[in-house]
């Protein structure tokens, strides 16, 4: 999969910009504040349906404008697809593929895949357990439509049960109303757990392959912890037994939404014991594992989006990482220093490579 072209209209600080990408290395360079990251953000937005920088839709519009548009031309297996997002100041937005408006944003997921590495993504290693659940849920949804369906069903039912728990606590309903949701929650929850167990094993295998190729002294791994139930009956009994505790905290406290993922560095919890450099390297290796497992499942290579790649990584580690990337990967890199890119071992010359210099308006 590759992105051939992106056009931004009234997006962030861009009034209008159109870039045509090569199949190889694409470097977007310029001073801070020139909108380099905005280009990466727009590509990611068309791939997954949301920004990685903000949850406030109004942040995306250029100051003073009431309407924005992002249009991308993607190519996969020699077939082209035009993906467009339109949004107005109020936050209402729509996604259109080849002229057909999508009913739901989730219809984008898995169609035109991209792997993102940005400073914001560092929360995968140093953030909360919820941050790691978000990362894995997004990844597993990209590679498995069945997982996405099960997770959507589970999340929807969880919200409904949580609402019933609050109503029961406030004496506006009976415990029978809460129990109505238990079986549905258990069914979808067990489906999520079963697929997670398998997909985590596959991700760990991809991470091991990347580690073997990297040949570093560091050893990174992923540990997955869940309190999964093996039957709907046992899950329902557990939900009924914990109802009083759920009423106290105002939500359901058992299920896949409480699972824990831990990244280990030399068998220690990376979040607690890793240095800044070790976190940066871990994120790079995790992202290469993400690239590997997506390629394996979709039979196509995602576009690799690298925002501020080398800010905390030394030259030796940079070169070793770059050696793991072959010519079949389309990369889009942002940087403030083109000379530094070359010093890191990146060859800017090539028929499929492009450079884009952005300047402040």
């Amino acid at each position: 999969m590759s992105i051939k072209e992106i056009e931004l209209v009234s997006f962030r600080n861009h009034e209008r910009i159109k870039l045509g990408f090569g199949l190889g290395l694409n470097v977007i360079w310029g001073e801070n504040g020139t909108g380099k990251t905005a280009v990466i953000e727009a590509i990611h937005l068309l791939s997954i349906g949301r920004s990685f920088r903000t949850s406030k839709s109004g942040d995306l519009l250029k100051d003073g404008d009431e309407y924005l548009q992002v249009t991308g031309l993607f190519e996969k297996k020699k077939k082209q697809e035009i993906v467009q997002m339109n949004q107005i100041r109020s936050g209402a937005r729509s996604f259109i593929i080849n002229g057909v408006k999508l009913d739901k944003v989730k219809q984008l997921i898995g169609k035109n895949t991209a792997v993102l590495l940005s400073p914001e993504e560092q929360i995968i290693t140093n953030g909360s357990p919820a941050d790691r659940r978000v990362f894995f849920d997004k990844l597993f949804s990209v590679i498995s439509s069945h997982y996405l369906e099960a997770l959507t069903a589970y999340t929807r039912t969880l919200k409904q049960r949580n609402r019933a728990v609050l109503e029961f606590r406030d004496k506006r309903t009976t415990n029978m109303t809460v129990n109505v949701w238990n079986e549905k929650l258990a069914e979808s929850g067990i489906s999520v757990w079963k697929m997670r167990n398998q997909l985590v094993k596959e991700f760990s295998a991809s991470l091991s392959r990347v580690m073997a190729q990297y040949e570093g002294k560091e050893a990174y791994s992923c540990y997955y912890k869940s309190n999964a139930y093996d039957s709907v009956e046992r899950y329902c009994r557990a939900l009924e037994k914990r109802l009083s505790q759920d009423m106290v905290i105002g939500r359901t406290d058992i299920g896949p939404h409480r699972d824990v993922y831990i990244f280990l560095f030399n068998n220690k919890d990376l979040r607690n014991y890793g240095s800044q450099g070790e976190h940066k390297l871990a994120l790079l290796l995790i992202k290469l594992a993400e690239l590997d497992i997506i390629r394996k499942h979709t039979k196509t290579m995602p576009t690799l989006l690298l925002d501020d790649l080398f800010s905390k990584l030394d030259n030796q580690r940079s070169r070793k990482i770059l050696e793991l990337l072959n010519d079949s990967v389309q990369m889009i890199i942002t940087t403030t220093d083109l000379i530094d890119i070359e010093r890191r071992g990146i060859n800017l010359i090539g028929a499929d490579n492009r450079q884009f210099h952005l300047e402040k308006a």
Side-chain angles (χ1 to χ4, degrees), residues 23-177:
L23 294 176
L25 173 67
N26 300 270
V27 178
I28 305 171
W29 64 285
E31 297 178 26
N32 289 327
T34 55
K36 303 183 300 296
T37 299
V39 177
I40 296 284
E41 181 182 21
I43 298 170
H44 180 269
L45 188 62
L46 294 182
S47 174
I48 205 73
R50 64 175 183 262
S51 166
F52 63 87
R53 300 170 71 190
T54 182
S55 59
K56 298 177 181 178
S57 56
D59 291 348
L60 301 179
L61 276 89
K62 191 176 187 296
D63 288 345
D65 289 350
E66 296 298 319
Y67 169 84
L68 73 79
Q69 186 176 82
V70 179
T71 307
L73 174 62
F74 295 86
E75 185 171 87
K76 180 167 60 178
K77 297 179 180 178
K78 297 184 178 180
K79 292 184 179 180
Q80 293 190 347
E81 189 170 80
I82 297 175
V83 183
Q84 187 176 89
M85 187 203 81
N86 301 305
Q87 181 183 309
I88 58 177
R89 173 66 66 179
S90 66
R93 65 172 57 165
S94 63
F95 287 90
I96 300 169
I97 296 181
N98 290 339
V100 179
K101 183 178 177 181
L102 301 185
D103 296 323
K104 298 179 180 179
V105 175
K106 71 177 185 179
Q107 291 174 278
L108 278 176
I109 298 175
K111 293 185 68 65
N112 297 296
T113 55
V115 171
L116 169 71
L117 176 61
S118 72
E120 289 84 356
E121 292 284 277
Q122 197 66 67
I123 61 172
I124 294 170
T125 67
N126 63 22
S128 68
D131 294 320
R132 279 175 287 286
R133 283 195 296 272
V134 168
F135 165 70
F136 280 106
D137 279 342
K138 183 176 74 172
L139 170 58
F140 296 160
S141 295
V142 166
I143 63 179
S144 171
S145 60
H146 295 300
Y147 182 86
L148 177 58
E149 290 172 6
L151 181 65
T152 301
Y154 176 79
T155 303
R156 182 173 57 247
T157 308
L158 179 64
K159 289 179 180 178
Q160 291 166 327
R161 185 182 189 274
N162 284 345
R163 189 180 301 114
V165 167
L166 291 174
E167 290 175 352
F168 180 47
R169 185 181 70 180
D170 297 339
K171 299 180 180 180
R172 289 182 287 134
T173 188
T174 67
N175 66 326
M176 293 302 295
T177 304

Side-chain angles (χ1 to χ4, degrees), residues 16 55 162 193-194 206 221 225 353:
R16 182 181 291 269
S55 59
N162 284 345
W193 269 324
K194 286 181 178 179
S206 290
S221 58
K225 179 182 178 182
N353 297 349

Side-chain angles (χ1 to χ4, degrees), residues 259-301:
D259 288 356
V260 174
Y261 301 88
I262 299 172
F263 287 109
L264 302 175
F265 167 69
N266 292 340
N267 293 320
K268 292 183 178 181
D269 188 337
L270 176 66
R271 185 189 181 204
N272 297 327
Y273 296 99
S275 67
Q276 192 176 51
E278 287 158 353
H279 274 274
K280 185 75 172 182
L281 178 59
L283 184 61
L284 276 163
L285 295 171
I286 289 166
K287 287 297 174 175
L288 292 179
E290 181 182 353
L291 196 79
D292 181 74
I293 193 173
I294 291 176
R295 178 195 55 78
K296 177 184 175 184
H297 274 264
T298 65
K299 309 303 181 186
T300 59
M301 184 65 79

